[in-house]
């Protein structure tokens, strides 16, 4: 039984369509991310679940109950905002207790629950401070604790980490996942950061221009993108024009050289077919059963754990990612190299 | 705190490494007129006022001017002035707040907002003879509105106990410049209320009234108090409007001072100075109340 269901949901603002025919079923305790470029309707979708926007059409149910037109303050759905949105005039303790006080919980119970929540986010010491006295990362933890204190049926997070710096962001996202799993709370997480979406989620919903492009587990989204948009948006992708495509045999010609791919006789491809391959699938040198292409290094970019090469193969440009090794000897710009990849790592678009 | 120190250090270092300013005294030229102004029109008059308040007409040191303040008619004048200032500050404050609310959080169209802001800018400075005349022409005994009400609704305001030349009439007239001033000063504070605060409150189960009681009003309170003290002072020092409207029917402290220093029958500048010192004391007391309320209302603010 699906716990949260969005059915044929759409939202228009005047003439503009923000969300279109959105269908998603989320299981209890599942962590689902909405991933997509700016303006694709992620926030609008989330705000419809929270009740801040009324859908133009469609239905939202939680645990079998239709909440489509319920006012936001009766939904019992927790929300974490990008800007934390802590009440500046209340202490950390009062912020967390706010929702409980609204529910007229007895004072000692509020205190107990507030402490529990503070322990959950490891900020017990700060109970009597005001929000401005905490760092951004700490404030967002408090916002999370405040949203969870009311034991919401669903937790909604709208780019909760995007105002924080890189290190805190990674730290806090692990924390969010840990808390989500201990509480087994159904969670919708909005982000435009693919790494966040892939690393956190049970399933990822990739959106573009108000509609869903693909729903799937992170590995599916990355390894088996079902549309060109998903392939391009999630991760890096080389897309090299090819000719003389034979889908049945799985061959084509790339820059005058023959390349093999997994046969897919029934696939429909565009009139300008391109070969798609991820940069990390490319290796330097050849190997048994691999497609090999002769090329020239244009640039070498050292990124730490990864070294990114740009390699000219005739007029096509490949981006290739190598893992750094301590004693690695890197090619230099202008070097002639052979790049290779197994046939099952590439596909046609 | 830590952040503060860090940023201070950085600015210091930046300042040193930056190109040295060739003539630092140049930066002071711009504020010289300000200091001259302060000296000529604030410092000097204050000294005259303070020394004058302790001298009699012959120039001898005396406390009799302050004893004069205890005269029942003068105490009454202070009291009436304070009451009118409070009434018009509260009335104008509430009205101005509601209007500012309507154009900010109430999301009225920007055109309405712009109109209100422009009007407020003008009206908050509209006082004195023209304002008095405008009110006499509309709500005076034979004013346009008074006559219209009498002829159309058969309602005679002046038979109902209303008079433009009374306490409430003057308060009403003051409201004309009080509420626009409130609009001007409170709008930015209302703009500063973040939408997410109200959404977060709602999300946690609170209704609108609870949100206002627990979050919005406490956040606005320092600004509201600040505006009210401004409005109070605005009315407390007003003279021309009251004088031209009531002539002297209403015993305002500014009018009493005027009659003491302007040379008519009552001429006694020493008493006039003492009255002015009394006004400063009242204003200082209001400021003291204001600061203590404000300190309590903004415990949560970075100070
Ligand atoms: N209140 C509104 N009135 C009019 N248009 C709106 C409103 N809210 C959103 N939109 C429009 O709807 C579309 C989707 O907006 P939304 O905020 O959901 O995008 P998003 O995916 O969250 O983007 P971002 O990553 O930038 O936050 C945008 O084109 C936006 O301009
Ligand atoms: Mg958004």
């Amino acid at each position: 039984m699906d716990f949260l269901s969005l059915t044929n949901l759409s939202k228009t603002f005047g003439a503009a369509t923000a969300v279109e025919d959105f269908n998603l079923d989320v299981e209890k305790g599942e962590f689902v991310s909405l991933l997509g470029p700016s303006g694709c309707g992620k926030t609008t979708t989330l705000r419809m679940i929270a009740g801040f926007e009324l859908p133009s059409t469609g239905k939202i149910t939680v645990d079998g109950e239709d909440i489509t037109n319920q006012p936001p303050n009766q939904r019992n759905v927790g929300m974490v905002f990008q800007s934390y949105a802590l009440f500046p005039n209340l202490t950390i303790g009062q912020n967390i207790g706010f929702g409980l006080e609204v529910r007229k919980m007895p004072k000692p119970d509020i205190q107990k629950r507030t402490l529990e929540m503070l322990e959950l986010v490891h900020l017990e010491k700060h109970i009597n401070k005001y929000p401005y006295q905490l760092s951004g990362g700490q404030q967002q933890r408090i916002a999370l604790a405040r949203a969870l204190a009311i034991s919401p049926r669903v937790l909604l997070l709208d780019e909760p980490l995007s105002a924080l710096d890189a290190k805190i962001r990674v730290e806090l996202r692990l924390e969010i996942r840990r808390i989500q799993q201990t509480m087994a709370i159904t969670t919708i997480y909005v982000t435009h950061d693919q790494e966040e979406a892939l690393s956190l989620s049970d399933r990822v919903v990739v959106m573009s221009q108000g509609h869903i492009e693909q729903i799937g587990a992170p590995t599916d989204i990355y390894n088996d993108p079902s549309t060109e948009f998903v392939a391009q948006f999630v991760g890096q992708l080389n897309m090299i024009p090819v000719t003389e495509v034979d889908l049945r045999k799985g061959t084509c010609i790339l820059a005058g050289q023959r390349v093999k791919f997994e046969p897919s006789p029934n696939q429909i491809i565009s009139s300008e077919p391109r070969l798609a391959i991820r940069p990390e699938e490319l290796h330097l040198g050849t190997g048994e059963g691999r497609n090999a292409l002769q090329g020239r290094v244009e640039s070498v970019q050292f990124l730490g754990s990864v070294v990114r090469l740009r390699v000219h193969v005739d007029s096509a440009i490949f981006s290739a990612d190598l893992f750094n090794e301590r004693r690695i000897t890197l090619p230099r710009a202008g070097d002639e190299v052979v790049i290779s990849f197994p046939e099952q790592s590439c596909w046609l678009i | 705190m830590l952040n503060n120190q860090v940023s201070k250090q950085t600015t210091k270092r930046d300042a040193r490494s930056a190109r040295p300013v060739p003539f630092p005294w140049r930066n002071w030229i711009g504020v010289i007129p300000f200091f001259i102004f302060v000296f000529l029109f604030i410092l000097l008059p204050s000294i005259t006022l303070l020394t004058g308040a302790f001298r009699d007409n012959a120039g001898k040191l005396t406390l009799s001017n302050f004893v004069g303040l205890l005269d029942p008619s003068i105490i009454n004048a202070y009291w009436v002035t304070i009451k009118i200032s409070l009434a018009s500050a509260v009335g104008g404050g509430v009205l101005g707040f509601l209007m500012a609310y309507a154009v900010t959080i109430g999301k009225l169209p920007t055109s309405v907002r712009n109109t209100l802001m422009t009007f407020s800018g003008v009206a908050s400075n509209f006082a004195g003879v023209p304002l008095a005349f405008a009110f006499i022409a509309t709500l005076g005994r034979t004013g346009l509105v008074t006559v219209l009400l009498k002829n159309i609704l058969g309602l005679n305001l002046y038979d109902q106990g209303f008079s433009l030349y009374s306490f409430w009439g003057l308060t009403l007239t003051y409201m004309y410049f009080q509420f626009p001033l409130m609009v001007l000063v409170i709008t930015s504070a209302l703009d500063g209320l973040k939408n997410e605060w109200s959404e977060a409150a709602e999300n946690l189960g609170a209704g609108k009234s609870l949100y206002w009681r627990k979050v919005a009003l406490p956040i606005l309170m320092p600004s509201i108090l600040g505006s009210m003290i401004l409005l109070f002072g605005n009315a407390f020092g007003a003279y021309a409007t009251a004088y031209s409207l009531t002539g002297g029917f209403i015993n305002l402290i500014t009018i009493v001072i005027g009659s003491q220093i302007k040379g008519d029958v009552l001429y006694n500048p020493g008493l006039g100075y003492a009255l002015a010192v009394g006004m400063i004391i009242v204003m200082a007391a209001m400021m003291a109340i204001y600061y203590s309320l404000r300190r309590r209302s903004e415990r949560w603010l970075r100070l």
Side-chain angles (χ1 to χ4, degrees):
Chain A
M1 174 67 193
D2 298 310
F3 188 70
L4 168 68
S5 290
L6 313 181
T7 316
N8 300 327
L9 214 54
S10 72
K11 176 72 189 177
T12 52
F13 293 105
T17 303
V19 176
E20 201 177 2
D21 199 24
F22 195 100
N23 287 285
L24 176 68
D25 293 316
V26 183
E27 275 173 38
K28 198 170 169 99
E30 198 178 14
F31 192 119
V32 173
S33 291
L34 307 185
L35 173 66
S38 186
C40 72
K42 309 180 293 288
T43 297
T44 306
T45 307
L46 205 70
R47 289 172 61 82
M48 286 194 281
I49 305 175
F52 297 132
E53 305 283 358
L54 282 182
S56 304
T57 66
K59 201 168 98 167
I60 304 171
T61 62
V62 174
D63 205 6
E65 181 193 351
D66 187 342
I67 61 162
T68 316
N69 294 308
Q70 216 174 36
N73 60 358
Q74 285 164 30
R75 294 197 177 196
N76 201 26
V77 156
M79 175 118 174
V80 175
F81 298 81
Q82 181 178 353
S83 58
Y84 327 135
L86 294 177
F87 306 128
N89 58 318
L90 301 181
T91 62
I92 298 311
Q94 290 167 332
N95 263 283
I96 297 177
F98 189 90
L100 307 172
E101 213 175 303
V102 171
R103 283 165 177 68
K104 305 229 154 53
M105 194 189 253
K107 279 254 150 53
D109 296 358
I110 294 183
Q111 208 155 20
K112 187 160 159 281
R113 179 80 178 157
T114 302
L115 279 173
E116 262 172 42
M117 288 296 119
L118 277 170
E119 267 165 41
L120 193 68
V121 294
H122 307 305
L123 290 172
E124 302 92 312
K125 292 199 300 282
H126 302 286
I127 185 162
N128 289 319
K129 289 191 180 165
Y130 285 96
Y132 78 85
Q133 294 170 304
L134 301 189
S135 71
Q138 290 172 326
Q139 289 189 48
Q140 196 57 296
R141 282 167 204 245
I142 298 301
L144 182 64
R146 180 179 70 177
L148 289 172
I150 59 170
S151 312
R153 294 185 287 186
V154 178
L155 178 65
L156 308 172
L157 304 106
D158 190 359
E159 311 214 19
L161 306 179
S162 59
L164 304 171
D165 58 51
K167 206 161 173 159
I168 307 282
R169 211 151 56 211
V170 173
E171 213 177 280
L172 199 47
R173 93 179 172 217
L174 292 172
E175 186 102 354
I176 288 176
R177 181 59 162 162
R178 173 183 66 79
I179 291 170
Q180 185 267 337
Q181 282 177 328
T182 36
M183 301 188 78
I185 183 161
T186 314
T187 301
I188 308 288
Y189 187 98
V190 161
T191 179
H192 62 253
D193 181 331
Q194 41 170 304
E195 197 179 299
E196 241 169 70
L198 295 176
S199 65
L200 280 171
S201 320
D202 294 314
R203 281 191 301 155
V204 177
V205 178
V206 183
M207 295 178 66
S208 143
Q209 298 183 352
H211 66 265
I212 296 179
E213 288 275 339
Q214 186 175 0
I215 304 179
T219 47
D220 293 344
I221 297 284
Y222 191 82
N223 294 331
D224 269 315
S226 63
T227 68
E228 187 177 336
F229 176 85
V230 177
Q232 294 233 42
F233 184 75
V234 183
Q236 304 278 329
L237 191 68
N238 290 301
M239 299 239 284
I240 315 291
V242 290
T243 52
E244 296 175 39
V245 175
D246 188 333
L247 287 169
R248 209 169 37 77
K249 279 201 216 139
T251 61
C252 62
I253 302 293
L254 188 158
Q257 306 176 56
R258 177 167 301 274
V259 167
K260 299 192 69 162
F261 55 92
E262 285 188 319
S264 52
N266 302 321
Q267 194 191 349
I268 297 159
I269 55 169
S270 75
S271 56
E272 286 170 19
R274 282 157 300 166
L275 188 80
I277 180 156
R278 300 259 184 222
E280 67 271 19
E281 303 272 11
L282 295 167
H283 291 177
L284 283 184
T286 55
E288 187 68 28
R290 295 170 73 90
N291 291 305
L293 297 165
Q294 186 74 38
R296 191 171 34 79
V297 176
E298 187 198 78
S299 66
V300 180
Q301 218 186 335
F302 183 71
L303 301 173
S305 62
V306 165
V307 184
R308 179 157 297 164
L309 307 181
R310 278 165 65 82
V311 179
H312 270 283
V313 175
D314 202 38
S315 64
I317 299 176
F318 280 88
S319 174
D321 286 352
L322 314 178
F323 272 118
N324 179 42
E325 290 162 27
R326 187 134 178 263
R327 302 284 175 229
I328 197 168
T329 26
L330 293 170
R332 282 197 301 253
D335 285 359
E336 293 289 328
V337 291
V338 173
I339 51 173
S340 68
F341 52 95
E343 57 188 67
Q344 64 274 19
S345 67
C346 59
W347 69 95
L348 272 206
I349 285 178
Chain B
M1 197 56 220
L2 201 65
N3 266 333
N4 248 334
Q5 282 172 354
V6 170
S7 67
K8 254 184 218 146
Q9 278 168 2
T10 7
T11 41
K12 236 190 225 157
R13 200 191 46 221
D14 286 355
R16 219 184 303 141
S17 63
R19 185 172 51 88
V21 181
F23 307 111
W25 50 266
R26 262 196 202 165
N27 298 333
W28 290 91
I29 292 181
V31 291
I32 286 176
F34 169 73
F35 286 120
I36 294 177
F37 184 89
V38 167
F39 180 74
L40 283 183
F41 301 110
I42 297 181
L43 224 52
L44 277 189
S46 303
I47 293 168
T48 321
L49 199 75
L50 273 173
T51 52
F54 290 98
R55 280 172 209 283
D56 60 19
N57 280 355
K60 283 216 293 286
L61 277 181
T62 175
L63 281 176
S64 64
N65 294 326
F66 286 93
V67 176
L69 293 188
L70 298 176
D71 184 275
S73 78
I74 287 179
I75 289 186
N76 180 56
Y78 275 115
W79 183 230
V80 170
T81 313
I82 291 173
K83 274 198 300 188
I84 283 200
S85 305
L86 276 181
S88 72
V90 170
V94 170
L95 195 62
F97 183 90
L98 292 178
M99 291 196 170
Y101 178 95
V103 295
T104 51
I105 297 165
K107 298 217 169 64
L108 289 185
T110 9
S111 59
V112 177
R113 176 179 174 142
N114 293 340
T115 313
L116 179 67
M117 297 313 283
T118 312
F119 165 80
S120 297
V122 176
S124 60
N125 288 307
F126 190 60
V129 183
L131 178 62
F133 179 75
F135 267 79
I136 292 171
T138 47
L139 281 171
R141 209 168 274 283
T142 55
L144 193 66
V145 174
T146 316
V147 171
L148 273 180
L149 284 177
K150 190 156 63 186
N151 292 351
I152 295 173
L153 296 177
L155 178 72
N156 189 336
L157 285 179
Y158 281 73
D159 285 352
Q160 304 291 319
F162 174 81
S163 166
L164 187 58
Y165 317 107
S166 67
F167 177 89
W168 288 111
L170 190 57
T171 303
L172 189 69
T173 311
Y174 276 14
M175 296 262 287
Y176 185 86
F177 57 76
Q178 292 285 56
F179 88 80
L181 185 61
M182 182 68 176
V183 170
L184 289 183
V185 294
I186 206 70
T187 299
S188 63
L190 284 166
D191 278 334
L193 278 184
K194 288 193 199 149
N195 215 6
E196 290 96 85
W197 290 333
S198 95
E199 286 183 351
E202 238 183 316
N203 179 251
L204 293 165
K208 281 269 177 271
S209 71
L210 193 70
Y211 160 69
W212 273 91
R213 215 151 30 82
K214 289 254 169 193
V215 181
L217 277 180
I219 290 174
L220 288 174
M221 201 40 81
S223 311
I224 292 177
L225 288 172
S227 313
M228 295 310 277
I229 196 84
L230 197 64
L231 263 59
F232 179 88
N234 203 25
F236 194 63
Y239 168 69
T241 312
Y243 192 77
S244 40
L245 189 68
T246 67
F249 272 138
I250 293 189
N251 193 20
L252 286 188
I253 199 68
T254 44
I255 294 180
V256 176
I257 295 178
S259 63
Q260 293 301 334
I261 59 177
K262 249 187 0 196
D264 57 16
V265 208
L266 295 163
Y267 189 58
N268 181 358
L271 178 60
Y273 292 149
L275 286 164
V277 172
M279 284 187 76
I280 294 175
I281 291 169
V282 171
M283 213 50 221
M286 293 306 289
M287 294 294 274
I289 296 172
Y290 158 67
Y291 275 118
S292 84
L293 285 176
R294 177 164 184 141
R295 237 208 333 277
R296 229 181 305 163
S297 73
E298 63 181 15
R299 253 174 326 178
W300 50 275
L301 276 183
R302 221 178 299 228
L303 288 173

